[in-house]
Structure formats: C-alpha cells, structure tokens
Amino acid sequence: AQSVAQPEDQVNVAEGNPLTVKCTYSVSGNPYLFWYVQYPNRGLQFLLKYITGDNLVKGSYGFEAEFNKSQTSFHLKKPSALVSDSALYFCAVRDGYNNNDMRFGAGTRLTVKP
Amino acid sequence: DTEVTQTPKHLVMGMTNKKSLKCEQHMGHRAMYWYKQKAKKPPELMFVYSYEKLSINESVPSRFSPECPNSSLLNLHLHALQPEDSALYLCASSQDRRGPNTDTQYFGPGTRLTVL
C-alpha cells in the first residue's frame, strides 16, 4: 500500500521569500505524485504532478516540485511567495504499478505574511 | 474546462431525514469519486465509479448510498446519518481511473453537511 507523509503541519514564510512544503512517500511500485491546494471552504485545486521524465515539475501559479527518488521526496517549491498562496496544501501518491487509488497526506497549512 | 459542480453548497439535516448530494461534470470523464473531509484533515476516499460501475466502496456505512445515473452525474444518497457524519463531502472526476496521464482528479467545491 502507498502512503504519504507531510512532516510539517504549518509553514510560515514572509512574502517575497522562497517557500518549501515537504512531502515524502512510500510505494511498492512506481510513484505517481500530486500536489493539491485547498482554500478555505473550497474543494481541492490541482497544482502539478509527477509521472515520469524530468525530476523538476512545473505547475500552476508559479509552483514547482522536485522528485527525488533516492530520498523518496516530492517537495513543493515557489521562488517568491505571495500572501494569496496562504492555504492548505496536500501531497498525494498513487502506486502506478499496482494501480491503487490516490492517497493524501495530512496536509500542510502555509501562511505567507506581508 | 476542468469544472466539477456540486449541489447544494450547504446542507443541514436531522438524523431521520433523507437527502441527496449531487455532482456533475461535463469533461467526458469516466471515473468519479466521493470523498469525505473532516476539518483540518485530508480527504478520505468513500466510493469510486468507473464507467458508471461502482469500483470501490471503502467500507462506508450503508447510510451512505452512491448512485451514478450516467457518465456525467454522481449522487450520494443520505439516510439516518449521525452527527459524526458532519463534514465536507467532495466529488472529483478524472478522465480515467488508472491511466498515468489520465488519472488526474479534478474536485468540486464540496457540500458542507451538518447533521443535527
């Protein structure tokens, strides 16, 4: 079975500074990795995903994520944070080889202060 | 267009009521999902429909009854719920259920359910 860990419940950054939201995963087969963002009282919005190919994946709103197979990580990054990036971020994984459905991490609340 | 719509936005019901949640997508997606999300928690998968057939039921109590009338619609029928069932219910769809480039799930805004 696959699982995802987001080790930080909360991340605080100042506007304009780079941000990183951490994610590590565990799968027995091929990892398909996803990042979603959730604003208050809203559904989840897809940001980006990694299936294969380049380890650096670029997504919506200037976000990117780096797949690191040796560290089993898929950290979300943005070079310059905006106050409007403040939200709840979920990492998710699917085991592509075993064709299991997606499982979410516990979520990380990002707060960007002016 | 990656829009999934859900109605109603909010629902308050008593434990003896029967109500339904509705989800609709017009992206031609053939997989649809119901998730339950409690406050400050990740979504938990409840049901998966693939090509209008129920593929997964994650041991959900029978007071929740899903229905997929056609490829665009997904319903969740509710009956005799408990206060602990209060949560945000999210619907999602994907082009396919398991393809590496077709399994990205797109979520609706959710229905906030309160059971009194």
Side-chain angles (χ1 to χ4, degrees):
Chain A
Q2 66 269 31
S3 65
V4 175
Q6 293 181 243
E8 301 158 316
D9 292 335
Q10 175 86 35
V11 170
N12 298 314
V13 298
E15 188 175 29
N17 283 359
L19 69 86
T20 298
V21 183
K22 295 180 180 178
C23 171
T24 59
Y25 66 89
S26 174
V27 296
S28 55
N30 297 331
Y32 294 171
L33 295 155
F34 304 79
W35 275 103
Y36 285 84
V37 59
Q38 186 175 32
Y39 296 97
N41 299 312
R42 302 290 297 276
L44 277 67
Q45 294 181 30
F46 170 72
L47 283 178
L48 52 80
K49 73 175 182 182
Y50 171 83
I51 302 297
T52 187
D54 287 342
N55 289 342
L56 185 64
V57 179
K58 294 186 182 295
S60 306
Y61 314 119
F63 284 94
E64 58 188 29
E66 185 166 12
F67 171 67
N68 188 316
K69 186 174 183 178
S70 62
Q71 297 184 4
T72 61
S73 67
F74 189 57
H75 301 330
L76 182 70
K77 301 181 180 184
K78 187 173 182 180
S80 179
L82 300 172
V83 173
S84 57
D85 292 329
S86 299
L88 188 57
Y89 289 81
F90 290 102
C91 182
V93 67
R94 188 167 88 69
D95 186 335
Y97 180 78
N98 290 304
N99 270 331
N100 294 332
D101 284 288
M102 194 164 63
R103 291 293 182 264
F104 287 89
T108 298
R109 180 155 308 277
L110 172 68
T111 301
V112 181
K113 297 186 177 179
Chain B
D1 183 13
T2 55
E3 187 178 25
V4 177
T5 59
Q6 290 187 244
T7 56
K9 289 186 178 180
H10 301 276
L11 178 63
V12 179
M13 59 186 292
M15 289 189 285
T16 58
N17 292 157
K18 287 185 179 181
K19 297 287 183 183
S20 297
L21 309 184
K22 296 185 184 300
C23 173
E24 191 167 3
Q25 57 87 15
H26 294 288
M27 296 177 278
H29 288 178
R30 304 312 299 270
M32 297 186 77
Y33 310 77
W34 279 116
Y35 288 86
K36 174 183 178 180
Q37 186 181 25
K38 302 285 272 186
K40 300 181 181 180
K41 297 292 185 182
E44 299 175 4
L45 184 64
M46 300 174 71
F47 302 104
V48 180
Y49 273 83
S50 181
Y51 291 82
E52 295 102 73
K53 294 189 187 303
L54 184 64
S55 297
I56 286 183
N57 175 341
E58 291 280 2
S59 302
V60 179
S62 60
R63 57 185 183 269
F64 295 91
S65 176
E67 179 196 18
C68 190
N70 60 57
S71 60
S72 299
L73 294 174
L74 186 66
N75 298 322
L76 186 62
H77 303 297
L78 314 173
H79 175 54
L81 294 193
Q82 303 297 311
E84 59 265 28
D85 296 322
S86 298
L88 181 67
Y89 287 84
L90 294 165
C91 174
S93 72
S94 63
Q95 186 174 337
D96 204 330
R97 185 179 158 210
R98 289 175 170 172
N101 293 309
T102 57
D103 66 342
T104 299
Q105 294 183 28
Y106 296 94
F107 285 78
T111 294
R112 176 74 59 189
L113 174 67
T114 302
V115 181
L116 301 176

